[in-house]
Amino acid sequence: MKILVVGGGGREHALVWALTRERDVTVLCTPGNPGIAALAPCASVPVTDPDALASLAEREAVDLTVIGPELPLSLGVADTFTERGLRVFGPTRAAAALEWSKAFAKDFMARHRVPTAGFRICHSAGEALAVLSSGELGYPIVLKADGLAAGKGVVIAETRAIADQAVHDLMVARRFGESGDTLVLEEFLVGDEASYFVVADGADFVRLSSAQDHKRIFDGDRGPNTGGMGAFAPSPLLTSQMEQRVVDEIVVPVLQGMVDEGRPFRGFLYVGLMMTSHGPKVVEFNVRFGDPEAQVILPMLAEPLSTLLLDATSGQLSSRAARFSTDKFVGVVLASGGYPDSADNGKVITGLANAAAVPDALVFHAGTAESDSHVVTHGGRVLTVVGRGTTYEQAIEVAYRAAGRIRFEHMQLRTDIGRKALTAVSQSPV
Ligand code: AMP
Ligand code: GLY
């Protein structure tokens, strides 16, 4: 079977890595990255050109295409493939609205009684300012641009003055362009964040795993938000009892609701959660695998990924839990100087092979490029180094031992990835 993976980040490297370990599967990727190129041929079709991607799949006689990032999904790549009779894993544009429109996602959750933060949707600055002056959502208050904003369209405002300023930035100065034409104002949720992943085919779904990301750039969850500086899986916050609640109160009604509204969801569903004192509440949905969550979850999978993906595209998926290793996985992101505002590109990376030689370690590429036969930095998040262990301590030790062998100028990394798992374990009742 021939599978095309669309994308070129750490998540896609992990997808390609998992698929190339299977017998009888050959993989092609576009646009890929140097780490992926070591495992599979890479084409140069951009992820934003649905017709060119479909033509690539036809030309290469691909049996299944897996879409990694949200942008092509929001552009309707899955629809184009289906119209052209090609098998694709990833939601339609209509189903991907769960991620590309936060207003759709919130209204949808309200319609289907899925637990989430209280909210108001505003279509003008005047409307937003009126909600702020009513004080109905309290402070701090969360302001979100409706559309895709690469994780940067969210402002947590402690005071009315900061919230007013954010309304101005998003709706008047249009800092994120048309993404800010509609604003979601949301009640601030207190709790620990975790995420939960399933592979869905309409109402049927296979449970993958939980994980926890580290979104802030600096240790101790300080500094600006990033795409994710590291992750671990599974999350000790999602005990089997809590996981069952997430499935019953969130996953089942969401997938059934999407079917009932004529937008059946087929793909990886990423449920971003806040574990509040009133139970798990949805912070956001993503319509694709997480990055760096994929890098710590896919190595746990103890059954062929290709079968799961194919079953989901052929209506043969039956609801169950996927088979998983009981080991723990911790992934540390190595980022460029300047990230998250900019990226210090072109810095030579050394020690990659040495790091990958650490037993139980994996090195996934994201923002890398090849230049004069060197691998160099090319983007904000450069690599994810994953460690595996029978305990979180072991997995952390392996990940940092391997990461310690990699060098590039101005490299940034957090030194506390995975520590939250240790405190959560010691605090949780047995
Ligand atoms: P989002 O893009 O919706 O995931 O938001 C980005 C980050 O902002 C989340 O990972 C949370 O840390 C934070 N956040 C979003 N919504 C809320 C909320 N209602 N209450 C508290 N924190 C939030
Ligand atoms: N790690 C967060 C995301 O993939 O959106």
Side-chain angles (χ1 to χ4, degrees):
M1 184 183 17
K2 192 166 182 182
I3 300 183
L4 169 63
V5 174
V6 173
R11 165 184 49 215
E12 288 77 26
H13 191 176
L15 286 165
V16 170
W17 172 83
L19 292 167
T20 51
R21 284 156 54 90
E22 294 181 30
R23 258 182 291 134
D24 308 326
V25 173
T26 57
V27 180
L28 170 71
C29 186
T30 190
N33 63 40
I36 294 173
L39 299 175
C42 293
S44 55
V45 177
V47 304
T48 48
D49 190 339
D51 276 305
L53 291 169
S55 297
L56 174 68
E58 274 167 8
R59 205 164 53 239
E60 294 286 338
V62 160
D63 300 294
L64 169 70
T65 300
V66 182
I67 313 294
E70 62 276 21
L71 185 57
L73 294 166
S74 74
L75 296 172
V77 167
D79 307 73
T80 302
F81 272 66
T82 305
E83 281 156 23
R84 289 175 59 167
L86 297 161
R87 190 180 284 245
V88 64
F89 180 82
T92 58
R93 175 174 157 74
L98 279 178
E99 178 166 359
W100 62 254
S101 171
K102 289 181 190 289
F104 170 80
K106 294 297 285 191
D107 276 334
F108 174 86
M109 285 189 274
R111 283 196 292 280
H112 297 279
R113 298 197 173 78
V114 172
T116 188
F119 68 100
R120 291 291 228 103
I121 292 166
C122 304
H123 298 282
S124 70
E127 227 182 299
L129 294 173
V131 173
L132 292 179
S133 73
S134 78
E136 64 185 278
L137 295 167
Y139 286 91
I141 188 168
V142 185
L143 299 94
K144 300 183 177 182
D146 176 50
L148 295 180
K152 292 183 181 155
V154 176
V155 176
I156 296 174
E158 300 285 340
T159 63
R160 170 86 196 273
I162 298 171
D164 283 351
Q165 183 61 45
V167 169
H168 185 271
D169 288 349
L170 292 164
M171 297 197 103
V172 183
R174 301 180 89 225
R175 219 169 102 209
F176 296 103
E178 64 182 35
S179 275
D181 289 351
T182 300
L183 216 60
V184 177
L185 302 190
E186 224 176 80
E187 169 202 6
F188 180 78
L189 296 175
V190 178
D192 290 316
E193 277 188 84
S195 45
Y196 189 65
F197 297 83
V198 300
V199 173
D201 173 21
D204 295 318
F205 62 96
V206 170
R207 304 170 178 208
L208 295 178
S209 172
S210 58
Q212 274 175 255
D213 193 2
H214 300 63
K215 287 198 170 129
R216 306 294 197 99
I217 183 91
F218 300 130
D219 283 11
D221 293 331
R222 285 175 306 109
N225 258 321
T226 70
M229 291 298 289
F232 60 86
S235 163
L237 300 173
L238 271 88
T239 57
S240 53
Q241 204 181 358
M242 190 55 81
E243 176 181 354
Q244 193 58 47
R245 256 188 100 172
V246 169
V247 165
D248 294 341
E249 295 174 19
I250 298 168
V251 177
V252 169
V254 166
L255 293 177
Q256 189 58 52
M258 292 296 276
V259 170
D260 294 345
E261 295 195 10
R263 319 175 180 234
F265 185 92
R266 168 179 294 159
F268 291 115
L269 181 66
Y270 171 138
V271 184
L273 296 163
M274 193 72 82
M275 312 308 284
T276 74
S277 54
H278 302 289
K281 295 194 179 187
V282 176
V283 174
E284 63 164 344
F285 293 114
N286 293 314
V287 299
R288 34 88 191 163
F289 222 130
D291 187 339
E293 291 90 338
Q295 294 91 304
V296 289
I297 292 180
L298 289 170
M300 294 173 75
L301 192 63
E303 63 176 279
L305 176 64
S306 67
T307 311
L308 265 181
L309 304 182
L310 262 187
D311 285 355
T313 60
S314 56
Q316 287 171 343
L317 198 74
S318 43
S319 290
R320 62 181 175 89
R323 272 184 284 122
F324 266 104
S325 157
T326 54
D327 284 351
K328 316 294 184 221
F329 290 79
V330 171
V332 178
V333 169
L334 307 186
S336 286
Y339 184 70
D341 298 324
S342 60
D344 219 351
N345 287 343
K347 304 296 179 194
V348 173
I349 305 169
T350 61
L352 288 168
N354 253 341
V358 170
D360 292 325
L362 292 164
V363 178
F364 294 113
H365 288 229
T368 64
E370 223 158 277
S371 167
D372 296 334
S373 68
H374 291 296
V375 178
V376 299
T377 60
H378 191 75
R381 292 190 293 173
V382 178
L383 299 157
T384 310
V385 182
V386 175
R388 170 184 197 142
T390 52
T391 61
Y392 292 108
E393 283 93 336
Q394 256 179 29
I396 293 169
E397 193 276 322
V398 171
Y400 278 103
R401 185 146 45 90
R405 296 184 175 190
I406 296 174
R407 298 261 184 283
F408 55 86
E409 210 182 329
H410 307 316
M411 180 170 103
Q412 303 190 72
L413 80 167
R414 278 181 59 160
T415 65
D416 62 350
I417 303 298
R419 287 235 191 102
K420 272 181 217 171
L422 308 180
T423 17
V425 169
S426 63
Q427 284 168 0
S428 66
V430 185

